[in-house]
Structure formats: C-alpha cells, structure tokens
Amino acid sequence: MQIYYPPLVEQACRFFYGSSDVSVEMKTTIYKMLIEEKLLDENGNPTEYALKKGLILRREEVPDLSFDEFLELYPVFKRFPASNFRKIGGFWEIKTEFAIRILDDVQAGKFDLEEEVELSNYFEDRLEEEDKCQFFKV
C-alpha cells in the first residue's frame, strides 16, 4: 500500500535529505516533528504560527493576474514559452500534454527544490477544483 504524505512533508524530506525517496519511518518522523514544532497541523497544512513567522510561505493565486504577475508568483514557468499558457476563468492554465511533461521532468529531478514547491502549489490548486482544470482536458 502506498502512503501519501502532505506536500510540505515531501518538501521537508527533499530539503533535509535531497530527495523525497526516504523510508516511510523517516517520513513519519519528519511529519510528527513538523506537527510538534507547530509548523503543520494534523492535516499537513501550515499553521498560522509557521506562516506568521515566515517559516512557510503561502502563495495565493488570485483571479485575473496579468501573465507577468502570474510569472512573479510562479517564476519556474519563465523557462517555458508563453504559448503553453491560456487564461481560463481568470486563471492561467496549461494543456494536459504540457502538464504531463512538467510532471515527468519533476520525477526526473530536473527542477530544484524551490521550483518543485512552485509547481506543487500550481498543480495542487488545479487538481482540487475540477472547474479550474478545463485546459488540462483540451
């Protein structure tokens, strides 16, 4: 059985060990430590304490950003042509094929930790809300 840890736990594993490919026991230890230190709640979300202290940064995408504002929020996308993006419902979306290519590149280790965090934030929002995933279905 595959155990899925919250993205911040996976990011902590990459930060501490250079990889998220660590034992389940180690991930459990890190998860518990982050909760004990009041950085994450039991659901894996950042606590107000962690956000106020700047220990965890929250990026919130709001509707109707210009493409330049979108790139400031997600600088990792500056390396890709603007033709891969389209504004739908006020948000910048990408095609399914492009999303798959990016996710394959993440698995291949082609991004640094900060870029992986940005991509995780970008995809997390889109996977949670079905109506924001229109461009993925093109």
Side-chain angles (χ1 to χ4, degrees):
M1 177 171 96
Q2 176 87 18
I3 298 174
Y4 294 97
Y5 284 88
L8 290 171
V9 174
E10 297 289 351
Q11 291 166 18
C13 290
R14 284 192 298 276
F15 178 78
F16 290 121
Y17 299 102
S19 170
S20 60
D21 187 25
V22 298
S23 70
V24 172
E25 293 80 14
M26 188 56 68
K27 285 185 184 183
T28 301
T29 300
I30 290 172
Y31 189 30
K32 288 178 180 178
M33 185 242 351
L34 293 171
I35 291 172
E36 288 171 7
E37 295 296 320
K38 299 188 182 356
L39 300 178
L40 297 182
D41 65 18
E42 293 79 16
N43 297 318
N45 298 312
T47 62
E48 286 301 315
Y49 168 79
L51 293 169
K52 285 180 183 176
K53 292 283 187 181
L55 301 171
I56 297 176
L57 300 176
R58 176 180 283 162
R59 296 173 187 200
E60 293 191 42
E61 188 176 352
V62 296
D64 297 318
L65 292 175
S66 70
F67 192 63
D68 287 337
E69 291 169 323
F70 171 77
L71 292 177
E72 287 301 314
L73 190 60
Y74 302 107
V76 66
F77 288 128
K78 290 178 181 179
R79 67 166 72 175
F80 302 106
S83 60
N84 288 307
F85 302 87
R86 182 168 49 167
K87 193 182 251 187
I88 298 175
F91 293 90
W92 291 97
E93 306 295 351
I94 60 177
K95 291 184 180 181
T96 304
E97 300 81 29
F98 182 52
I100 291 169
R101 192 176 97 210
I102 289 173
L103 294 172
D104 286 345
D105 286 350
V106 167
Q107 290 295 317
K110 294 184 179 179
F111 297 98
D112 65 27
L113 179 61
E114 182 62 28
E115 291 171 327
E116 285 187 24
V117 170
E118 292 171 23
L119 291 168
S120 176
N121 289 336
Y122 176 81
F123 286 114
E124 182 178 39
D125 289 343
R126 274 135 184 99
L127 297 176
E128 288 177 358
E129 297 183 35
E130 182 70 21
D131 60 336
K132 281 188 177 180
C133 295
Q134 298 172 39
F135 202 34
F136 282 93
K137 298 176 185 171
V138 172

